Amino acid sequence: VGQRPPLGAAPASLDPADWPVFRAEAHAALDQALDGLEHVRDGPVWRPTPAEVRARFEVPLPAGPRPLGDVLADVDALIAPYVVGNTHPRFMGWAHGAGTPVGVVAELIAAALDANCGGRDHIGPIVERQIARWAAEAFGLPSTSSGVFVTGASQANFLGLLVARDAALGHAVRADGLKGGAQLCAYASVEAHGCVRQAMELAGVGAGFLRQIATDAAGAVRTDQLRDAIRRDRDAGLRPFLVVGTAGGVNFGAFDELLALADIAAAERLWLHVDGAFGALTALAPSLKPLTRGLQRADSVAFDFHKWTHVPYDAGFLLVRDPVAHKQTFAAPAAYLSRLPRGLAAGDDWPCDYGPDLSRGFRALKVWLTFQTLGAEAIGRSIEANCAAARHLAARVAASEAFELAAPVPLNIVCFRIKDDPQGDKSAELVMRLQERGLAAPSTTRIGGRPVIRAAIFNHRTTLADIDAVFEAAVQIAAEISSDFATG
Ligand SMILES: Cc1ncc(COP(=O)(O)O)c(C=O)c1O
């Protein structure tokens, strides 16, 4: 081991010493990435990371260099095979987008530009503004609505709740906190995502003051019960401030009647926030757009470009009707963020004024490139195709001996279970075997308190042949499981 060279003796730049060699290796890396996407269907959906691979990630910090080509060989052997698998057409778990080749190019360009989009007068925030206008156009909100990229809908819902809290209490709450005054209460359905509850915790309002209202058979919030709950809280001296509508519930894709919620929110002078993590994007699909009726009246909308628009992770977004209310919830007067009349520090509206992130990447670029190259119509058609595939799967489940449907299928999510499985343990076993054999990756959820199999078709690569292959594998494995459970 040699001595460290004296400062100044070795070049300090981290750029390659030999650009042509690096360029060739970088081109190979791009080819490797695109090969993975082009041939994704040929491999397993998922495989567990073996102990010997895990051990390769428990080594000390590398002090010296290795050639990029060698490290890329490690990526090929140790990383790429063991990712979650959501680019695969038979990945059907949770609510994952599937990525696109143009997304790969966009990430590459964004990394090369390495723009910090927290603020300052440059093209990054201008592109971000364009994305807010496109989202407002798609959802029917005013073009003056403000928008900000965040990691995901969990964060977007949290920020939306903070804007609603400020709208109720005044921006002095930022300095004074929640002390004194009536206790705030918010309302959402029992189908609302857990991040709404968590947002109440994080905002200091208290999850105990999120009223989770029952739903009807279709999964829409019972508006009669919502009105009753608001009245009860007012009678008890509490302060209702927020209704959270769900556009596409995480369990099976339920939609609240957003128009009815908008009427209630207007009559009760409450903020209407819509969690449309994936479901709001049905606004891009003509045959599904009616589900989002009323979305145009929301005060704020949280959604994810990394879900049904397949922009690479991560690309959550919060859209707010009133840009002033939005800005005053977050803008901070720090000296080092002072604006100047000209130059790089010019401009009144920096993204860091609309959320808590100061350093932030150029997420807007990958959304812009995705819509520019694919067009909104193709994305809408792929959303419609996913819903058609879900209806196909639901029909096969409904007609089968082995399975029964566990919930309605209004969108792209099919919840079903093995018949004669009161505890849901056979259904959970089926999901694990499908995943472990690399055949498919559905997930599980609970419907009516019982674990069920949940196949969420979010992937633009999924064909009806994939659905049939997954269904037939499931039938076969269900039979295996029944016989295994019978013999103990
Ligand atoms: C309805 C709904 N809301 C919120 C979220 C959270 O989104 P994210 O995972 O991007 O934070 C999800 C995630 O699936 C969701 O389905």
Side-chain angles (χ1 to χ4, degrees):
V1 182
Q3 295 258 302
R4 269 178 73 99
L7 265 181
S13 169
L14 301 176
D15 284 339
D18 188 334
W19 275 96
V21 167
F22 184 86
R23 193 179 288 269
E25 288 167 335
H27 280 278
L30 177 61
D31 276 337
Q32 191 174 317
L34 294 179
D35 280 350
L37 271 187
E38 186 179 355
H39 303 294
V40 62
R41 152 182 307 285
D42 303 341
V45 181
W46 172 80
R47 57 190 133 196
T49 308
E52 57 279 17
V53 173
R54 291 174 193 264
R56 296 285 298 271
F57 293 88
E58 290 170 13
V59 297
L61 179 69
R66 284 173 69 202
L68 176 62
D70 286 4
V71 182
L72 290 176
D74 280 356
V75 170
D76 219 12
L78 304 174
I79 293 179
Y82 304 111
V83 289
V84 66
N86 48 304
T87 56
H88 197 290
R90 294 195 297 279
F91 183 94
M92 297 173 178
W94 302 276
H96 285 31
T100 63
V102 75
V104 175
V105 175
E107 288 285 54
L108 193 117
I109 297 170
L113 298 174
D114 196 25
N116 181 345
C117 292
R120 291 152 288 273
D121 189 8
H122 63 107
I123 196 70
I126 295 169
V127 181
E128 187 153 345
R129 205 39 234 120
Q130 166 74 94
I131 305 304
R133 274 194 295 265
W134 282 349
E137 180 185 332
F139 301 158
L141 270 81
S143 62
T144 48
S145 304
S146 48
V148 68
F149 275 99
V150 289
T151 44
S154 302
Q155 187 77 352
N157 282 313
F158 172 46
L159 301 195
L161 190 142
L162 293 177
V163 185
R165 181 202 64 180
D166 276 32
L169 299 181
H171 298 293
V173 68
R174 292 179 61 184
D176 299 344
L178 291 170
K179 66 179 162 51
Q183 169 67 49
L184 295 177
C185 292
Y187 306 82
S189 90
V190 291
E191 284 298 321
H193 193 272
C195 69
V196 175
R197 189 180 168 78
Q198 189 187 50
M200 290 286 281
E201 295 168 11
L202 297 176
V205 178
F209 295 94
L210 176 67
R211 311 299 190 210
Q212 292 212 249
I213 312 293
T215 50
D216 63 18
V221 67
R222 291 270 308 267
T223 49
D224 53 338
Q225 295 199 13
L226 171 61
R227 280 200 195 85
D228 289 349
I230 296 170
R231 188 172 325 110
R232 263 197 313 277
D233 283 332
R234 285 207 201 282
D235 290 349
L238 305 183
R239 172 128 189 229
F241 80 113
L242 167 68
V243 176
V244 179
T246 294
V250 64
N251 279 325
F252 61 92
F255 273 76
D256 286 334
E257 297 278 350
L258 299 179
L259 217 45
L261 293 193
D263 287 342
I264 293 173
E268 299 281 351
R269 297 181 315 285
L270 306 180
W271 186 275
L272 176 62
H273 172 79
V274 175
D275 176 10
F278 58 91
L281 293 161
T282 57
L284 300 175
S287 68
L288 300 165
K289 192 175 168 71
L291 289 168
T292 64
R293 246 163 30 106
L295 184 60
Q296 72 278 7
R297 288 178 57 195
D299 291 302
S300 49
V301 185
F303 67 101
D304 282 325
F305 286 108
H306 56 230
K307 289 193 164 80
W308 241 345
T309 41
H310 306 293
V311 168
Y313 280 86
D314 48 42
F317 204 79
L318 174 68
L319 190 68
V320 180
R321 171 183 299 276
D322 178 350
V324 176
H326 187 179
K327 184 172 180 178
Q328 288 183 357
T329 304
F330 297 104
Y336 43 84
L337 297 177
S338 297
R339 314 299 149 93
L340 293 176
R342 298 188 323 278
L344 196 43
D348 284 339
D349 289 318
W350 290 4
C352 65
D353 298 330
Y354 293 87
D357 296 326
L358 186 51
S359 288
R360 47 206 295 289
F362 199 171
R363 293 182 180 113
L365 181 68
K366 55 192 174 182
V367 176
W368 185 81
L369 251 146
T370 297
F371 277 96
Q372 290 285 356
T373 56
L374 301 177
E377 286 174 10
I379 294 171
R381 277 196 300 277
S382 81
I383 291 173
E384 284 169 343
N386 285 163
C387 294
R391 288 194 295 276
H392 178 70
L393 176 59
R396 294 215 60 180
V397 167
S400 81
E401 297 276 301
F403 301 116
E404 62 194 9
L405 284 172
V409 184
L411 215 58
N412 61 328
I413 303 175
V414 184
C415 289
F416 62 106
R417 57 183 158 239
I418 296 182
K419 286 180 184 166
D420 184 27
D421 180 27
Q423 304 308 319
D425 40 1
K426 288 186 193 170
S427 293
E429 181 64 27
L430 172 71
V431 167
M432 290 187 282
R433 290 193 193 185
L434 280 168
Q435 292 172 353
E436 284 166 348
R437 294 178 196 182
L439 297 171
S443 57
T444 60
T445 188
R446 299 176 83 84
I447 301 281
R450 284 171 66 185
V452 299
I453 305 153
R454 180 178 167 284
I457 324 294
F458 275 101
N459 194 311
H460 56 90
R461 302 182 183 98
T462 305
T463 61
L464 293 186
D466 288 310
I467 299 288
D468 286 334
V470 171
F471 180 77
E472 275 141 33
V475 168
Q476 200 185 333
I477 295 175
E480 256 177 39
I481 291 172
S482 290
S483 112
D484 290 355
F485 274 53
T487 55

